[in-house]
């Protein structure tokens, strides 16, 4: 419920922003920062000691490194097994792909910086904190690991789906859903958030490089 309130409030706060690429990315930052801030306030007031339940790694940098390796491998697996078949099934031809590359090309240094901040800092921290740290952990305690993995991954995919452009967001939503499964499995195995955080950053970093260098 707190997440939902934060999401709606963040959406309201970003509504004054325009439709440029920089403003869209800034809007994502606003929404995710808002729900994270509300969740932290709620946890601090209602659940003292919550941080210890998310895992306390003895080797933080080793966890980040292992996670980054896992995320890099996961990018290739999801790209070949999910994204590519979906693109081909949806009939996206070379002209459509070329158009997507052109529209994705950064138009300014500011756009690159905002996109990098969103994809490499704000999104991984906010999303791992909620989807793996809170949602998956709570669901696992009530339903077990497999249902919690599927439920958290499904919601992770839903928040990456844009109803205004369903065809364009189907592939990103499917990728996010599969990524959510992988990150939940990693969190379950490593028992701390640093590993999936490192994997998420690596996954997004590769995606940014691909996005900004194709075409």
């Amino acid at each position: 419920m707190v997440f939902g309130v934060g999401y709606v409030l963040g959406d309201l706060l970003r509504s004054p922003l325009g439709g440029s690429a920089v403003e869209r990315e800034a809007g994502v930052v606003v929404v995710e920062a808002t729900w994270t801030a509300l969740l932290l306030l709620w946890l601090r007031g209602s659940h003292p000691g919550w941080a210890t339940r998310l895992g306390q790694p003895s080797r933080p940098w080793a966890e980040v490194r292992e996670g980054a390796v896992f995320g890099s491998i996961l990018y290739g697996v999801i790209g070949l097994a999910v994204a590519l078949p979906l693109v081909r099934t949806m009939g996206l031809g070379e002209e459509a792909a070329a158009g997507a590359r052109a529209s994705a090309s950064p138009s300014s240094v500011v756009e690159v910086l905002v996109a990098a901040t969103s994809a490499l800092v704000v999104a991984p921290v906010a999303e791992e904190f909620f989807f793996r740290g809170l949602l998956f952990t709570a669901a696992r305690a009530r339903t077990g690991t497999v249902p919690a993995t599927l439920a958290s991954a499904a919601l992770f995919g839903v928040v990456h789906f844009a109803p205004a452009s369903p065809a364009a967001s189907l592939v990103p939503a499917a990728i996010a859903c599969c990524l959510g499964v992988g990150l939940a499995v990693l969190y379950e195995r490593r028992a701390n958030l640093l590993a999936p955080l490192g994997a998420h950053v690596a996954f997004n970093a590769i995606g940014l490089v691909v996005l900004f260098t194709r075409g």
Side-chain angles (χ1 to χ4, degrees), residues 54-55 57 59-75 78 124 128 131-133 136-137 140 145 148-150 152-153 177-203:
L54 301 186
R59 302 180 306 149
W61 289 112
E63 295 294 337
V64 173
R65 183 180 65 248
E66 293 296 325
V69 172
F70 180 84
S72 301
I73 295 172
L74 197 59
Y75 186 92
I78 293 177
E128 292 314 304
F131 288 100
R132 260 60 66 181
F136 171 76
T137 301
R140 180 184 58 189
T145 301
T149 298
L150 296 178
S152 60
C177 187
C178 295
L179 175 61
V181 171
L183 293 174
V185 170
L186 181 62
Y187 180 50
E188 175 71 12
R189 295 192 61 180
R190 308 298 296 193
N192 69 86
L193 273 182
L194 288 180
L197 180 61
H200 200 149
V201 171
F203 190 96

Side-chain angles (χ1 to χ4, degrees), residues 121-151:
V121 180
V122 178
V125 172
E127 292 171 2
E128 292 314 304
F129 172 58
F130 174 68
F131 288 100
R132 260 60 66 181
L134 300 185
L135 180 62
F136 171 76
T137 301
R140 180 184 58 189
R142 291 166 174 79
T143 65
T145 301
V146 173
T149 298
L150 296 178

